[in-house]
Amino acid sequence: MEKVEIEKRILYLRKIINDANYEYYVLDNPTLTDQEFDKYLRELEVLEEENPEFDSPFSPTKRVGGEVIDRFKKVRHKIPMLSLPDVFSLEEIHDFNTRIMKENVEPTYVCEYKIDGLSVSLHYEKGNLIFAATRGDGVVGEDITHNVRTIKSVPLTLKEPIDIEVRGEIYMPKKVLEELNEKRKEKNLPLLQNVRNAAAGSIRQLDSKIAAERKLDTWIYHLPNPEDYGIETHEDALKFMKDLGFKVNEKANRVVTGIAEIEEYVKETSLKRSELPYEIDGIVIKVNRLASQKALGFTSKYPKWAVAYKFPAEEVLTRLTDIVFTVGRTGRITPNAVLEPVIVMGSTVKRATLHNEDYVLMKDLKIGDIVSIRKAGDVIPEVVEAKLERRDGSEKEFVMIKNCPICGSILEKKKDQVDHYCMNKSCPARKVEGLIHYCSRKAMNIEGLGDEIIEDFFNLGFVKTIVDIYSLKEHKKDLIELEGYGTKSVDNLLLAIEDSKLNSVERLLFGLGIEGIGDKTALLLAKIFKNIDGFLNASYDDFQNIRDIGPTLAENLYEYFHHVDNIGLIEELKNLGINMNYLGEPEKHHDLISNRRFVLTGTLSFMDREELSALLESYGGMTSSSVSKKTDVVIVGDKPGSKYEKAQELHIEIWDEEKIKGIVDAL
Ligand code: IVH
């Protein structure tokens, strides 16, 4: 083929692929089969590779991911990216409407879904996507073009060759999060808490391959410069963006006049919410006429022409069909609600913890009750209350068990405590839970030994004790034969087990499951005692003299390290080559982070909490979940909880998002 012909073919292929993408991902109305699409894409890839002079960063072949950046560049927003004032009740929407009418503005609004994701600004020159940025602090964001390019509903080339900036939300569909978490569970990785954090985490990847796999999507809802295009209403701005090829939520957006129509929209949307394939956390109400928006203006933080109505936490009714008991690794017995499956905020709930006997009695729950369920902290289901008016007399009284449901031993309840315990150290349930704990992420972190697999291995007799984990290699042949396994996954598992032998000793210490010793305390102790012999030789007073270790913990530690079974176990682990030493202070140091205690509250837009905790810890900072006098700094994100108030009460240093981000960026 002649060069001109090649170029023509390349342009033609790009158009076909872009159009097909648009029809599939924006209009949800595919025109090509997958095979046809792949065929065109492959042909284009080959032509571009053989003719690099025609390659282009705007080509649809650049969507697949693979571009890796070494840091996020800062981008200053020419027009600040503001957020919206939140309102929580219909009365407050009334107040907003009254305020608008007082200004002699026509009360015609566009109601939209408030998408639960992260906002993005997209910049096009001559119709080509040139960069995409996060909101950041509203004034300065970060360049995330490499990741945004992989989002299929973001056009790389518009239908008109114009210069434009548009804004919208990047989100993760509910189903994608569910699938992702299923995979993470199998791999023993921590679950992503909600769609917002999952989307933000995906966008904050340096390697665009990861974002590409996360199947993110967009809704575009804001045109910062409408006057440049002679547009007079927000409604028309939405239509204009739609016609350029953006994904605009036409089905959801509605022009309304007056408070009654707003209320109707709120009601209808609240009912539809749980069935939507994406998460929304409220409704945005925007004055439609742009001249009126201009007249109303802004406060320092918000536009005065819009509000975000936030839904109350979703509560769903279902039946409590049973209360069953589980046994933890310390022998603690937990009652659990068995529920008729219901969808709450996008995922199916079948179980919820009821903590202990007192909790069930306080809530006056009976088996057969209709109960309301809510997601606390977005992800953990919680039984709110029993609907007493729905009782018909057939409900059964809750009775606390007297014997361990697994081994039958008589349960004990210590004085002044709420929990019941199975005291039988050989109880199989305790053993399995102990093994699960030993392999878990914050303990020995053995990838591939998740809850269900350990239970299977225990039942099959491969792993009855911690020591057996290290002889799994002797069962390699049997393991490969098991359903769902192959040579590769068994090899990976055995490698992960060997690798974990090199862990610093605080992981082992936490993994041993000594009552009351969490991962943070384990680290503190490891720093002090340096190696396992330090623990074996320590006296009760040695433990008690440590700040943070009270008499109960000191007793637990002393007893553990002086019990013949435990001494034997540690000896065996030593012989198996498991590292017994503390491997040193983190190499990294930062004056504002190292050796300080942090508490995180609220959502940060640039990093999820887990990630930030890990980062602080890698610099020798400590993180904990509650604020006390010992806390040095409380980091406060969006929508902080009561920890923020407590920090203020105790006059603890507070860092807002801007401050922590400045520090993180400079690391
Ligand atoms: S309009 C100047 N519309 O909610 C107005 N925002 O609290 C700019 N959001 O930062 C925002 N859905 O991330 C707008 N339909 C929608 C929205 C929406 C979600 C987010 C956005 C913004 C935050 C405001």
Side-chain angles (χ1 to χ4, degrees):
M1 252 196 290
E2 295 258 345
K3 280 284 175 191
V4 242
E5 307 251 312
I6 292 175
E7 186 177 17
K8 246 201 205 150
R9 181 74 187 160
I10 286 179
L11 293 177
Y12 171 75
L13 288 169
R14 282 183 192 154
K15 178 153 174 27
I16 290 193
I17 294 167
N18 280 337
D19 287 351
N21 251 327
Y22 175 73
E23 273 140 13
Y24 190 100
Y25 291 103
V26 179
L27 301 184
D28 198 14
N29 181 22
T31 47
L32 293 186
T33 63
D34 287 358
Q35 288 88 333
E36 284 169 319
F37 184 87
D38 285 346
K39 201 180 91 210
Y40 287 129
L41 190 67
R42 198 115 350 103
E43 184 186 347
L44 180 59
E45 275 168 355
V46 171
L47 284 179
E48 285 175 351
E49 205 173 309
E50 287 171 357
N51 304 278
E53 66 272 40
F54 300 134
D55 201 4
S56 155
F58 313 118
S59 167
T61 53
K62 302 295 178 294
R63 273 195 193 282
V64 287
E67 190 186 345
V68 184
I69 59 168
D70 54 8
R71 66 183 190 93
F72 288 97
K73 263 190 298 184
K74 295 266 174 311
V75 194
R76 183 169 283 275
H77 300 297
K78 282 206 192 88
I79 303 172
M81 283 181 85
L82 299 180
S83 63
L84 299 171
D86 288 335
V87 297
F88 298 93
S89 62
L90 291 177
E91 287 90 84
E92 285 179 283
I93 302 181
H94 264 274
D95 296 345
F96 167 69
N97 181 55
T98 312
R99 213 178 65 227
I100 297 298
M101 301 230 291
K102 259 201 202 129
E103 301 283 333
N104 278 330
V105 166
E106 174 198 6
T108 297
Y109 306 97
V110 179
C111 291
E112 300 174 5
Y113 292 170
K114 186 167 189 304
I115 313 298
D116 203 3
L118 71 150
S119 42
V120 66
S121 153
L122 305 173
H123 292 252
Y124 291 80
E125 269 176 19
K126 300 203 178 72
N128 288 320
L129 176 70
I130 53 158
F131 79 87
T134 61
R135 188 174 99 90
D137 61 6
V139 180
V140 176
E142 284 178 327
D143 186 334
I144 49 167
T145 318
H146 68 301
N147 283 333
V148 170
R149 232 186 242 135
T150 69
I151 303 175
K152 302 288 195 344
S153 61
V154 172
L156 298 178
T157 308
L158 301 179
K159 299 202 181 287
E160 300 290 333
I162 59 169
D163 293 357
I164 193 169
E165 177 194 357
V166 300
R167 294 177 182 175
E169 202 83 353
I170 295 178
Y171 68 92
M172 181 178 278
K174 291 176 190 172
K175 239 200 147 67
V176 175
L177 179 68
E178 264 181 55
E179 288 165 4
L180 199 61
N181 271 342
E182 261 163 43
K183 281 196 203 128
R184 290 175 76 92
K185 200 165 162 205
E186 277 166 26
K187 289 193 181 160
N188 213 1
L189 290 169
L191 300 191
L192 298 168
Q193 290 293 300
N194 52 47
V195 282
R196 184 177 357 105
N197 285 356
S202 311
I203 281 296
R204 268 205 63 83
Q205 300 287 339
L206 295 168
D207 181 349
S208 65
K209 222 184 284 144
I210 302 175
E213 283 164 8
R214 295 285 173 90
K215 298 191 192 117
L216 300 171
D217 208 334
T218 53
W219 287 120
I220 300 301
Y221 50 64
H222 187 63
L223 180 64
N225 269 318
E227 55 283 358
D228 291 1
Y229 312 95
I231 288 169
E232 291 182 0
T233 61
H234 180 58
E235 180 188 4
D236 288 347
L238 291 169
K239 168 123 196 0
F240 178 66
M241 295 190 289
K242 164 92 192 168
D243 291 343
L244 284 171
F246 293 105
K247 196 168 164 209
V248 173
N249 206 346
E250 276 187 324
K251 262 196 221 153
N253 302 340
R254 185 186 302 170
V255 182
V256 302
T257 299
I259 189 73
E261 287 185 16
I262 301 182
E263 276 188 25
E264 201 177 304
Y265 184 84
V266 171
K267 243 189 235 140
E268 272 178 39
T269 310
S270 309
L271 292 176
K272 266 191 233 154
R273 177 184 180 198
S274 61
E275 276 141 43
L276 295 171
Y278 48 88
E279 205 70 76
I280 63 174
D281 59 345
I283 283 160
V284 179
I285 305 156
K286 303 172 178 173
V287 167
N288 189 27
R289 188 150 290 284
L290 299 176
S292 308
Q293 287 190 2
K294 211 166 184 175
L296 288 159
F298 298 88
T299 69
S300 64
K301 272 167 102 179
Y302 305 124
K304 290 189 190 167
W305 43 263
V307 283
Y309 164 75
K310 299 289 287 284
F311 292 129
E314 189 186 8
E315 281 190 22
V316 182
L317 295 184
T318 188
R319 189 177 300 277
L320 173 67
T321 54
D322 202 357
I323 295 179
V324 296
F325 298 87
T326 47
V327 189
R329 77 186 148 78
T330 56
R332 192 169 78 197
I333 308 291
T334 309
N336 298 279
V338 180
L339 303 161
E340 245 165 45
V342 267
I343 295 179
V344 191
M345 291 176 71
S347 60
T348 309
V349 174
K350 297 182 215 151
R351 287 248 186 162
T353 175
L354 296 172
H355 306 287
N356 53 55
E357 178 187 19
D358 289 2
Y359 185 89
V360 184
L361 295 177
M362 185 191 72
K363 297 215 170 223
D364 181 23
L365 301 176
K366 293 188 181 174
I367 294 160
D369 268 341
I370 298 294
V371 291
S372 58
I373 309 295
R374 167 172 79 193
K375 289 265 184 83
D378 284 359
V379 96
I380 303 158
E382 175 187 35
V383 175
V384 184
E385 59 180 12
K387 297 286 163 196
L388 301 181
E389 69 280 7
R390 301 276 299 263
R391 283 192 179 157
D392 61 10
S394 66
E395 297 76 18
K396 277 200 300 191
E397 219 49 65
F398 163 75
V399 186
M400 185 63 199
I401 47 170
K402 301 250 178 319
N403 297 78
C404 172
I406 305 297
C407 72
S409 333
I410 293 179
L411 302 181
E412 284 185 25
K413 188 175 171 184
K414 288 182 200 146
K415 222 177 122 207
D416 300 332
Q417 286 201 359
V418 289
D419 294 310
H420 290 76
Y421 284 88
C422 163
M423 304 304 285
N424 172 13
K425 289 219 168 94
S426 314
C427 172
R430 290 186 59 175
K431 288 195 158 177
V432 171
E433 290 302 321
L435 288 166
I436 289 174
H437 174 75
Y438 183 83
C439 300
S440 65
R441 194 176 55 90
K442 287 186 176 163
M444 293 301 270
N445 193 22
I446 305 178
E447 195 172 315
L449 277 185
D451 309 10
E452 281 160 29
I453 293 173
I454 291 178
E455 216 174 316
D456 284 351
F457 285 3
F458 185 88
N459 293 332
L460 290 165
F462 292 140
V463 178
K464 291 278 185 200
T465 68
I466 290 175
V467 171
D468 295 341
I469 294 172
Y470 302 96
S471 2
L472 264 175
K473 54 186 170 210
E474 288 155 25
H475 301 286
K476 189 169 170 181
K477 266 208 197 106
D478 302 322
L479 296 180
I480 293 171
E481 312 264 280
L482 290 177
E483 208 185 304
Y485 284 84
T487 318
K488 193 157 174 237
S489 55
V490 171
D491 279 343
N492 284 342
L493 173 62
L494 296 177
L495 261 177
I497 293 172
E498 287 306 305
D499 280 354
S500 72
K501 290 182 173 174
L502 304 175
N503 286 336
S504 186
V505 75
E506 65 274 15
R507 287 184 171 277
L508 172 65
L509 189 59
F510 175 54
L512 291 174
I514 306 165
E515 198 164 351
I517 307 297
D519 58 326
K520 307 258 158 59
T521 316
L523 178 61
L524 175 90
L525 291 166
K527 281 183 184 171
I528 295 170
F529 290 99
K530 305 285 185 240
N531 62 44
I532 214 79
D533 294 333
F535 292 94
L536 291 165
N537 298 329
S539 67
Y540 173 81
D541 284 343
D542 289 339
F543 287 123
Q544 224 217 310
N545 288 338
I546 299 167
R547 189 174 90 144
D548 286 353
I549 303 285
T552 317
L553 276 192
E555 201 176 307
N556 292 350
L557 284 162
Y558 184 77
E559 269 185 18
Y560 187 91
F561 286 105
H562 286 81
H563 193 291
V564 56
D565 291 351
N566 301 330
I567 297 172
L569 169 67
I570 290 168
E571 199 53 41
E572 272 190 273
L573 292 175
K574 251 188 211 172
N575 294 337
L576 284 164
I578 287 146
N579 171 53
M580 296 283 158
N581 297 313
Y582 173 54
L583 298 180
E585 289 285 326
E587 280 161 25
K588 295 182 274 189
H589 178 90
H590 191 286
D591 280 345
L592 294 174
I593 301 175
S594 308
N595 295 319
R596 302 185 83 194
R597 286 157 196 271
F598 293 86
V599 173
L600 279 52
T601 176
T603 315
L604 296 168
S605 66
F606 69 101
M607 204 177 226
D608 64 38
R609 275 216 289 251
E610 287 250 356
E611 247 185 302
L612 181 58
S613 302
L615 187 69
L616 293 171
E617 281 162 19
S618 73
Y619 278 80
M622 289 160 272
T623 55
S624 85
S625 55
S626 60
V627 178
S628 75
K629 272 185 263 165
K630 290 181 197 151
T631 310
D632 291 304
V633 179
V634 175
I635 299 177
V636 177
D638 193 22
K639 292 173 217 113
S642 57
K643 291 173 200 168
Y644 180 36
E645 285 152 33
K646 180 121 190 243
Q648 286 172 319
E649 262 168 45
L650 297 176
H651 300 289
I652 290 167
E653 190 172 329
I654 289 170
W655 292 357
D656 60 7
E657 162 140 358
E658 201 181 336
K659 167 98 181 181
I660 181 65
K661 196 162 176 302
I663 294 172
V664 168
D665 285 345
L667 287 176

